[in-house]
PDB file of all heavy atoms in Angstrom:
ATOM      1  N   LEU J 230       3.451  17.542  -1.174  1.00 97.00           N
ATOM      2  CA  LEU J 230       4.476  18.554  -1.006  1.00 97.00           C
ATOM      3  C   LEU J 230       3.753  19.911  -1.097  1.00 97.00           C
ATOM      4  O   LEU J 230       3.253  20.243  -2.138  1.00 97.00           O
ATOM      5  CB  LEU J 230       5.579  18.474  -2.064  1.00 97.00           C
ATOM      6  CG  LEU J 230       6.412  17.248  -1.822  1.00 97.00           C
ATOM      7  CD1 LEU J 230       6.146  16.215  -2.902  1.00 97.00           C
ATOM      8  CD2 LEU J 230       7.877  17.587  -1.796  1.00 97.00           C
ATOM      9  N   GLY J 236       8.248  28.993  -5.357  1.00 86.00           N
ATOM     10  CA  GLY J 236       9.711  29.053  -5.512  1.00 86.00           C
ATOM     11  C   GLY J 236      10.518  28.563  -4.334  1.00 86.00           C
ATOM     12  O   GLY J 236      11.650  28.980  -4.136  1.00 86.00           O
ATOM     13  N   VAL J 237       9.932  27.611  -3.557  1.00 91.00           N
ATOM     14  CA  VAL J 237      10.660  27.130  -2.403  1.00 91.00           C
ATOM     15  C   VAL J 237      11.258  25.755  -2.616  1.00 91.00           C
ATOM     16  O   VAL J 237      11.904  25.198  -1.766  1.00 91.00           O
ATOM     17  CB  VAL J 237       9.768  27.095  -1.096  1.00 91.00           C
ATOM     18  CG1 VAL J 237       9.335  28.470  -0.745  1.00 91.00           C
ATOM     19  CG2 VAL J 237       8.562  26.168  -1.323  1.00 91.00           C
ATOM     20  N   GLY J 238      11.002  25.153  -3.811  1.00 91.00           N
ATOM     21  CA  GLY J 238      11.556  23.836  -4.142  1.00 91.00           C
ATOM     22  C   GLY J 238      10.624  22.686  -4.044  1.00 91.00           C
ATOM     23  O   GLY J 238      11.012  21.529  -3.939  1.00 91.00           O
ATOM     24  N   LYS J 239       9.296  22.997  -4.114  1.00 94.00           N
ATOM     25  CA  LYS J 239       8.325  21.875  -4.041  1.00 94.00           C
ATOM     26  C   LYS J 239       8.440  20.953  -5.204  1.00 94.00           C
ATOM     27  O   LYS J 239       8.586  19.769  -5.063  1.00 94.00           O
ATOM     28  CB  LYS J 239       6.912  22.492  -4.089  1.00 94.00           C
ATOM     29  CG  LYS J 239       6.301  22.871  -2.743  1.00 94.00           C
ATOM     30  CD  LYS J 239       4.805  23.145  -2.865  1.00 94.00           C
ATOM     31  CE  LYS J 239       4.466  24.234  -3.850  1.00 94.00           C
ATOM     32  NZ  LYS J 239       4.996  25.577  -3.553  1.00 94.00           N
ATOM     33  N   THR J 240       8.374  21.492  -6.430  1.00 96.00           N
ATOM     34  CA  THR J 240       8.435  20.675  -7.664  1.00 96.00           C
ATOM     35  C   THR J 240       9.793  19.980  -7.733  1.00 96.00           C
ATOM     36  O   THR J 240       9.858  18.817  -8.112  1.00 96.00           O
ATOM     37  CB  THR J 240       8.117  21.542  -8.883  1.00 96.00           C
ATOM     38  OG1 THR J 240       6.808  22.121  -8.678  1.00 96.00           O
ATOM     39  CG2 THR J 240       8.110  20.696 -10.097  1.00 96.00           C
ATOM     40  N   THR J 241      10.886  20.765  -7.487  1.00 96.00           N
ATOM     41  CA  THR J 241      12.203  20.127  -7.568  1.00 96.00           C
ATOM     42  C   THR J 241      12.298  18.945  -6.600  1.00 96.00           C
ATOM     43  O   THR J 241      12.854  17.937  -6.994  1.00 96.00           O
ATOM     44  CB  THR J 241      13.280  21.193  -7.114  1.00 96.00           C
ATOM     45  OG1 THR J 241      13.134  22.299  -8.010  1.00 96.00           O
ATOM     46  CG2 THR J 241      14.624  20.688  -7.178  1.00 96.00           C
ATOM     47  N   THR J 242      11.647  19.068  -5.451  1.00 97.00           N
ATOM     48  CA  THR J 242      11.681  17.999  -4.467  1.00 97.00           C
ATOM     49  C   THR J 242      10.783  16.823  -4.917  1.00 97.00           C
ATOM     50  O   THR J 242      11.210  15.662  -4.799  1.00 97.00           O
ATOM     51  CB  THR J 242      11.255  18.512  -3.056  1.00 97.00           C
ATOM     52  OG1 THR J 242      12.212  19.472  -2.627  1.00 97.00           O
ATOM     53  CG2 THR J 242      11.219  17.366  -2.053  1.00 97.00           C
ATOM     54  N   ALA J 243       9.641  17.155  -5.478  1.00 97.00           N
ATOM     55  CA  ALA J 243       8.715  16.085  -5.938  1.00 97.00           C
ATOM     56  C   ALA J 243       9.425  15.259  -6.961  1.00 97.00           C
ATOM     57  O   ALA J 243       9.478  13.967  -6.907  1.00 97.00           O
ATOM     58  CB  ALA J 243       7.429  16.683  -6.520  1.00 97.00           C
ATOM     59  N   ILE J 244      10.078  15.908  -7.975  1.00 97.00           N
ATOM     60  CA  ILE J 244      10.730  15.181  -9.059  1.00 97.00           C
ATOM     61  C   ILE J 244      11.908  14.389  -8.587  1.00 97.00           C
ATOM     62  O   ILE J 244      12.040  13.166  -8.839  1.00 97.00           O
ATOM     63  CB  ILE J 244      11.264  16.220 -10.127  1.00 97.00           C
ATOM     64  CG1 ILE J 244      10.090  16.865 -10.871  1.00 97.00           C
ATOM     65  CG2 ILE J 244      12.220  15.532 -11.134  1.00 97.00           C
ATOM     66  CD1 ILE J 244      10.485  18.024 -11.740  1.00 97.00           C
ATOM     67  N   ASN J 245      12.742  15.028  -7.834  1.00 97.00           N
ATOM     68  CA  ASN J 245      14.061  14.394  -7.442  1.00 97.00           C
ATOM     69  C   ASN J 245      13.970  13.375  -6.297  1.00 97.00           C
ATOM     70  O   ASN J 245      14.663  12.395  -6.283  1.00 97.00           O
ATOM     71  CB  ASN J 245      15.104  15.518  -7.157  1.00 97.00           C
ATOM     72  CG  ASN J 245      15.480  16.247  -8.406  1.00 97.00           C
ATOM     73  OD1 ASN J 245      16.114  15.642  -9.284  1.00 97.00           O
ATOM     74  ND2 ASN J 245      15.063  17.441  -8.550  1.00 97.00           N
ATOM     75  N   LEU J 246      13.080  13.640  -5.357  1.00 98.00           N
ATOM     76  CA  LEU J 246      12.847  12.663  -4.324  1.00 98.00           C
ATOM     77  C   LEU J 246      12.165  11.415  -4.893  1.00 98.00           C
ATOM     78  O   LEU J 246      12.604  10.287  -4.512  1.00 98.00           O
ATOM     79  CB  LEU J 246      11.994  13.269  -3.208  1.00 98.00           C
ATOM     80  CG  LEU J 246      11.536  12.330  -2.065  1.00 98.00           C
ATOM     81  CD1 LEU J 246      12.735  11.682  -1.365  1.00 98.00           C
ATOM     82  CD2 LEU J 246      10.771  13.161  -0.955  1.00 98.00           C
ATOM     83  N   ALA J 247      11.225  11.618  -5.749  1.00 98.00           N
ATOM     84  CA  ALA J 247      10.538  10.474  -6.388  1.00 98.00           C
ATOM     85  C   ALA J 247      11.542   9.628  -7.200  1.00 98.00           C
ATOM     86  O   ALA J 247      11.551   8.392  -7.134  1.00 98.00           O
ATOM     87  CB  ALA J 247       9.388  10.950  -7.252  1.00 98.00           C
ATOM     88  N   ALA J 248      12.324  10.385  -7.986  1.00 97.00           N
ATOM     89  CA  ALA J 248      13.338   9.641  -8.869  1.00 97.00           C
ATOM     90  C   ALA J 248      14.323   8.911  -8.028  1.00 97.00           C
ATOM     91  O   ALA J 248      14.744   7.808  -8.292  1.00 97.00           O
ATOM     92  CB  ALA J 248      14.078  10.689  -9.724  1.00 97.00           C
ATOM     93  N   SER J 249      14.745   9.505  -6.851  1.00 97.00           N
ATOM     94  CA  SER J 249      15.754   8.892  -6.003  1.00 97.00           C
ATOM     95  C   SER J 249      15.176   7.616  -5.344  1.00 97.00           C
ATOM     96  O   SER J 249      15.836   6.570  -5.240  1.00 97.00           O
ATOM     97  CB  SER J 249      16.211   9.849  -4.912  1.00 97.00           C
ATOM     98  OG  SER J 249      16.839  10.976  -5.493  1.00 97.00           O
ATOM     99  N   ASN J 267       4.857  21.996 -14.053  1.00 95.00           N
ATOM    100  CA  ASN J 267       6.327  21.889 -14.053  1.00 95.00           C
ATOM    101  C   ASN J 267       6.823  20.541 -13.717  1.00 95.00           C
ATOM    102  O   ASN J 267       7.862  20.116 -14.299  1.00 95.00           O
ATOM    103  CB  ASN J 267       6.940  22.950 -13.108  1.00 95.00           C
ATOM    104  CG  ASN J 267       6.700  24.380 -13.546  1.00 95.00           C
ATOM    105  OD1 ASN J 267       6.414  24.572 -14.728  1.00 95.00           O
ATOM    106  ND2 ASN J 267       6.702  25.320 -12.714  1.00 95.00           N
ATOM    107  N   ALA J 268       6.158  19.809 -12.827  1.00 96.00           N
ATOM    108  CA  ALA J 268       6.667  18.457 -12.533  1.00 96.00           C
ATOM    109  C   ALA J 268       6.495  17.530 -13.767  1.00 96.00           C
ATOM    110  O   ALA J 268       7.299  16.686 -14.002  1.00 96.00           O
ATOM    111  CB  ALA J 268       5.908  17.889 -11.320  1.00 96.00           C
ATOM    112  N   LEU J 272       9.679  15.869 -15.843  1.00 96.00           N
ATOM    113  CA  LEU J 272       9.893  14.413 -15.931  1.00 96.00           C
ATOM    114  C   LEU J 272       9.695  13.954 -17.389  1.00 96.00           C
ATOM    115  O   LEU J 272       9.437  12.803 -17.636  1.00 96.00           O
ATOM    116  CB  LEU J 272       8.936  13.681 -15.021  1.00 96.00           C
ATOM    117  CG  LEU J 272       9.383  13.673 -13.536  1.00 96.00           C
ATOM    118  CD1 LEU J 272       8.318  13.063 -12.630  1.00 96.00           C
ATOM    119  CD2 LEU J 272      10.701  12.908 -13.312  1.00 96.00           C
ATOM    120  N   ASP J 348       2.439  16.903  -6.022  1.00 97.00           N
ATOM    121  CA  ASP J 348       3.012  18.198  -6.137  1.00 97.00           C
ATOM    122  C   ASP J 348       1.953  19.280  -6.118  1.00 97.00           C
ATOM    123  O   ASP J 348       1.253  19.429  -7.077  1.00 97.00           O
ATOM    124  CB  ASP J 348       3.905  18.323  -7.383  1.00 97.00           C
ATOM    125  CG  ASP J 348       4.676  19.604  -7.467  1.00 97.00           C
ATOM    126  OD1 ASP J 348       5.006  20.216  -6.412  1.00 97.00           O
ATOM    127  OD2 ASP J 348       4.931  20.094  -8.611  1.00 97.00           O
ATOM    128  N   PRO J 370       8.622  22.124   2.120  1.00 95.00           N
ATOM    129  CA  PRO J 370       9.920  22.668   1.820  1.00 95.00           C
ATOM    130  C   PRO J 370      10.039  24.114   2.299  1.00 95.00           C
ATOM    131  O   PRO J 370       9.085  24.879   2.190  1.00 95.00           O
ATOM    132  CB  PRO J 370       9.993  22.650   0.269  1.00 95.00           C
ATOM    133  CG  PRO J 370       8.837  21.762  -0.147  1.00 95.00           C
ATOM    134  CD  PRO J 370       7.780  21.890   0.973  1.00 95.00           C
ATOM    135  N   LEU J 405      11.589  20.482   5.098  1.00 96.00           N
ATOM    136  CA  LEU J 405      12.829  20.256   4.365  1.00 96.00           C
ATOM    137  C   LEU J 405      13.458  21.596   4.011  1.00 96.00           C
ATOM    138  O   LEU J 405      12.833  22.436   3.297  1.00 96.00           O
ATOM    139  CB  LEU J 405      12.476  19.500   3.075  1.00 96.00           C
ATOM    140  CG  LEU J 405      13.581  19.297   2.068  1.00 96.00           C
ATOM    141  CD1 LEU J 405      14.693  18.304   2.682  1.00 96.00           C
ATOM    142  CD2 LEU J 405      13.136  18.792   0.723  1.00 96.00           C
ATOM    143  N   THR J 407      15.658  23.918   1.944  1.00 94.00           N
ATOM    144  CA  THR J 407      16.054  23.888   0.513  1.00 94.00           C
ATOM    145  C   THR J 407      16.875  25.144   0.179  1.00 94.00           C
ATOM    146  O   THR J 407      16.868  26.147   0.931  1.00 94.00           O
ATOM    147  CB  THR J 407      14.876  23.822  -0.448  1.00 94.00           C
ATOM    148  OG1 THR J 407      14.043  25.024  -0.263  1.00 94.00           O
ATOM    149  CG2 THR J 407      13.998  22.595  -0.207  1.00 94.00           C
ATOM    150  N   MET J 408      17.647  25.058  -0.919  1.00 91.00           N
ATOM    151  CA  MET J 408      18.412  26.225  -1.392  1.00 91.00           C
ATOM    152  C   MET J 408      19.389  26.763  -0.346  1.00 91.00           C
ATOM    153  O   MET J 408      19.502  27.965  -0.195  1.00 91.00           O
ATOM    154  CB  MET J 408      17.470  27.328  -1.901  1.00 91.00           C
ATOM    155  CG  MET J 408      16.495  26.833  -2.964  1.00 91.00           C
ATOM    156  SD  MET J 408      15.435  28.112  -3.587  1.00 91.00           S
ATOM    157  CE  MET J 408      14.081  27.118  -4.257  1.00 91.00           C
ATOM    158  N   ILE J 436      18.957  20.403   1.446  1.00 95.00           N
ATOM    159  CA  ILE J 436      19.136  20.495   0.006  1.00 95.00           C
ATOM    160  C   ILE J 436      19.900  21.781  -0.232  1.00 95.00           C
ATOM    161  O   ILE J 436      19.412  22.865  -0.011  1.00 95.00           O
ATOM    162  CB  ILE J 436      17.802  20.519  -0.745  1.00 95.00           C
ATOM    163  CG1 ILE J 436      16.872  19.345  -0.370  1.00 95.00           C
ATOM    164  CG2 ILE J 436      18.061  20.494  -2.273  1.00 95.00           C
ATOM    165  CD1 ILE J 436      17.473  17.980  -0.523  1.00 95.00           C
ATOM    166  N   GLN J 437      21.128  21.589  -0.745  1.00 93.00           N
ATOM    167  CA  GLN J 437      21.992  22.792  -0.995  1.00 93.00           C
ATOM    168  C   GLN J 437      21.584  23.436  -2.302  1.00 93.00           C
ATOM    169  O   GLN J 437      21.024  22.833  -3.210  1.00 93.00           O
ATOM    170  CB  GLN J 437      23.455  22.279  -1.088  1.00 93.00           C
ATOM    171  CG  GLN J 437      24.005  21.781   0.220  1.00 93.00           C
ATOM    172  CD  GLN J 437      25.261  20.931  -0.010  1.00 93.00           C
ATOM    173  OE1 GLN J 437      25.188  19.758  -0.314  1.00 93.00           O
ATOM    174  NE2 GLN J 437      26.418  21.577   0.192  1.00 93.00           N
ATOM    175  N   ASN J 439      22.122  24.459  -5.768  1.00 91.00           N
ATOM    176  CA  ASN J 439      22.895  23.720  -6.748  1.00 91.00           C
ATOM    177  C   ASN J 439      22.468  23.978  -8.182  1.00 91.00           C
ATOM    178  O   ASN J 439      21.260  23.767  -8.495  1.00 91.00           O
ATOM    179  CB  ASN J 439      22.758  22.180  -6.390  1.00 91.00           C
ATOM    180  CG  ASN J 439      23.586  21.305  -7.351  1.00 91.00           C
ATOM    181  OD1 ASN J 439      23.043  20.537  -8.108  1.00 91.00           O
ATOM    182  ND2 ASN J 439      24.918  21.430  -7.271  1.00 91.00           N
ATOM    183  N   LYS J 441      22.953  22.423 -10.907  1.00 94.00           N
ATOM    184  CA  LYS J 441      22.518  21.237 -11.716  1.00 94.00           C
ATOM    185  C   LYS J 441      20.998  20.965 -11.419  1.00 94.00           C
ATOM    186  O   LYS J 441      20.283  20.526 -12.308  1.00 94.00           O
ATOM    187  CB  LYS J 441      23.292  19.996 -11.349  1.00 94.00           C
ATOM    188  CG  LYS J 441      24.787  20.153 -11.577  1.00 94.00           C
ATOM    189  CD  LYS J 441      25.125  20.167 -13.061  1.00 94.00           C
ATOM    190  CE  LYS J 441      26.657  20.211 -13.252  1.00 94.00           C
ATOM    191  NZ  LYS J 441      27.067  20.514 -14.612  1.00 94.00           N
ATOM    192  N   LEU J 442      20.566  21.258 -10.185  1.00 92.00           N
ATOM    193  CA  LEU J 442      19.130  21.053  -9.851  1.00 92.00           C
ATOM    194  C   LEU J 442      18.252  21.953 -10.711  1.00 92.00           C
ATOM    195  O   LEU J 442      17.155  21.653 -11.065  1.00 92.00           O
ATOM    196  CB  LEU J 442      18.874  21.350  -8.387  1.00 92.00           C
ATOM    197  CG  LEU J 442      19.240  20.221  -7.382  1.00 92.00           C
ATOM    198  CD1 LEU J 442      18.968  20.743  -5.994  1.00 92.00           C
ATOM    199  CD2 LEU J 442      18.330  18.967  -7.662  1.00 92.00           C
ATOM    200  N   SER J 443      18.776  23.162 -10.991  1.00 91.00           N
ATOM    201  CA  SER J 443      18.027  24.157 -11.723  1.00 91.00           C
ATOM    202  C   SER J 443      18.041  23.823 -13.261  1.00 91.00           C
ATOM    203  O   SER J 443      17.061  24.081 -14.007  1.00 91.00           O
ATOM    204  CB  SER J 443      18.598  25.576 -11.544  1.00 91.00           C
ATOM    205  OG  SER J 443      18.868  25.827 -10.243  1.00 91.00           O
ATOM    206  N   GLU J 444      19.108  23.236 -13.719  1.00 93.00           N
ATOM    207  CA  GLU J 444      19.244  22.961 -15.160  1.00 93.00           C
ATOM    208  C   GLU J 444      18.511  21.725 -15.575  1.00 93.00           C
ATOM    209  O   GLU J 444      18.002  21.660 -16.663  1.00 93.00           O
ATOM    210  CB  GLU J 444      20.788  22.799 -15.489  1.00 93.00           C
ATOM    211  CG  GLU J 444      21.531  24.071 -15.403  1.00 93.00           C
ATOM    212  CD  GLU J 444      23.070  23.825 -15.543  1.00 93.00           C
ATOM    213  OE1 GLU J 444      23.476  22.683 -15.646  1.00 93.00           O
ATOM    214  OE2 GLU J 444      23.798  24.848 -15.510  1.00 93.00           O
ATOM    215  N   ALA J 445      18.445  20.721 -14.713  1.00 94.00           N
ATOM    216  CA  ALA J 445      17.906  19.396 -15.114  1.00 94.00           C
ATOM    217  C   ALA J 445      16.452  19.468 -15.704  1.00 94.00           C
ATOM    218  O   ALA J 445      16.269  18.827 -16.715  1.00 94.00           O
ATOM    219  CB  ALA J 445      17.939  18.423 -13.919  1.00 94.00           C
ATOM    220  N   PRO J 446      15.573  20.246 -15.065  1.00 92.00           N
ATOM    221  CA  PRO J 446      14.160  20.228 -15.619  1.00 92.00           C
ATOM    222  C   PRO J 446      14.081  20.698 -17.036  1.00 92.00           C
ATOM    223  O   PRO J 446      13.162  20.170 -17.804  1.00 92.00           O
ATOM    224  CB  PRO J 446      13.433  21.198 -14.696  1.00 92.00           C
ATOM    225  CG  PRO J 446      14.255  21.267 -13.466  1.00 92.00           C
ATOM    226  CD  PRO J 446      15.630  21.058 -13.899  1.00 92.00           C
ATOM    227  N   PRO J 451      15.214  14.154 -14.168  1.00 95.00           N
ATOM    228  CA  PRO J 451      15.668  14.473 -12.805  1.00 95.00           C
ATOM    229  C   PRO J 451      17.169  14.708 -12.760  1.00 95.00           C
ATOM    230  O   PRO J 451      17.896  14.270 -13.627  1.00 95.00           O
ATOM    231  CB  PRO J 451      15.240  13.229 -11.989  1.00 95.00           C
ATOM    232  CG  PRO J 451      14.456  12.399 -12.852  1.00 95.00           C
ATOM    233  CD  PRO J 451      14.725  12.782 -14.308  1.00 95.00           C
ATOM    234  N   CYS J 452      17.631  15.345 -11.724  1.00 95.00           N
ATOM    235  CA  CYS J 452      19.026  15.663 -11.508  1.00 95.00           C
ATOM    236  C   CYS J 452      19.886  14.404 -11.542  1.00 95.00           C
ATOM    237  O   CYS J 452      21.005  14.386 -12.022  1.00 95.00           O
ATOM    238  CB  CYS J 452      19.240  16.419 -10.177  1.00 95.00           C
ATOM    239  SG  CYS J 452      20.864  17.214 -10.117  1.00 95.00           S
ATOM    240  N   GLY J 461      23.270  18.256  -5.693  1.00 94.00           N
ATOM    241  CA  GLY J 461      21.835  18.148  -5.682  1.00 94.00           C
ATOM    242  C   GLY J 461      21.356  16.718  -5.745  1.00 94.00           C
ATOM    243  O   GLY J 461      20.456  16.328  -4.954  1.00 94.00           O
ATOM    244  N   TYR J 465      19.395  14.570  -2.678  1.00 97.00           N
ATOM    245  CA  TYR J 465      18.038  13.909  -2.823  1.00 97.00           C
ATOM    246  C   TYR J 465      18.097  12.387  -2.591  1.00 97.00           C
ATOM    247  O   TYR J 465      17.154  11.801  -2.064  1.00 97.00           O
ATOM    248  CB  TYR J 465      17.362  14.256  -4.128  1.00 97.00           C
ATOM    249  CG  TYR J 465      16.661  15.617  -4.007  1.00 97.00           C
ATOM    250  CD1 TYR J 465      17.165  16.759  -4.679  1.00 97.00           C
ATOM    251  CD2 TYR J 465      15.560  15.758  -3.237  1.00 97.00           C
ATOM    252  CE1 TYR J 465      16.524  18.010  -4.530  1.00 97.00           C
ATOM    253  CE2 TYR J 465      14.897  16.984  -3.121  1.00 97.00           C
ATOM    254  CZ  TYR J 465      15.446  18.140  -3.751  1.00 97.00           C
ATOM    255  OH  TYR J 465      14.785  19.332  -3.615  1.00 97.00           O
ATOM    256  N   LEU J 468      18.028  12.188   1.064  1.00 97.00           N
ATOM    257  CA  LEU J 468      16.653  12.452   1.551  1.00 97.00           C
ATOM    258  C   LEU J 468      15.790  11.206   1.338  1.00 97.00           C
ATOM    259  O   LEU J 468      14.986  10.859   2.234  1.00 97.00           O
ATOM    260  CB  LEU J 468      16.085  13.684   0.837  1.00 97.00           C
ATOM    261  CG  LEU J 468      14.661  14.037   1.283  1.00 97.00           C
ATOM    262  CD1 LEU J 468      14.510  14.514   2.699  1.00 97.00           C
ATOM    263  CD2 LEU J 468      14.076  15.114   0.356  1.00 97.00           C
TER     264      LEU J 468
END
Side-chain angles (χ1 to χ4, degrees):
L230 288 110
V237 297
K239 275 192 302 293
T240 301
T241 301
T242 298
I244 291 171
N245 291 291
L246 175 54
S249 299
N267 291 338
L272 283 173
D348 184 28
L405 175 67
T407 62
M408 304 180 201
I436 309 302
Q437 292 161 280
N439 180 246
K441 302 289 185 193
L442 279 176
S443 315
E444 290 171 357
C452 195
Y465 277 109
L468 179 64

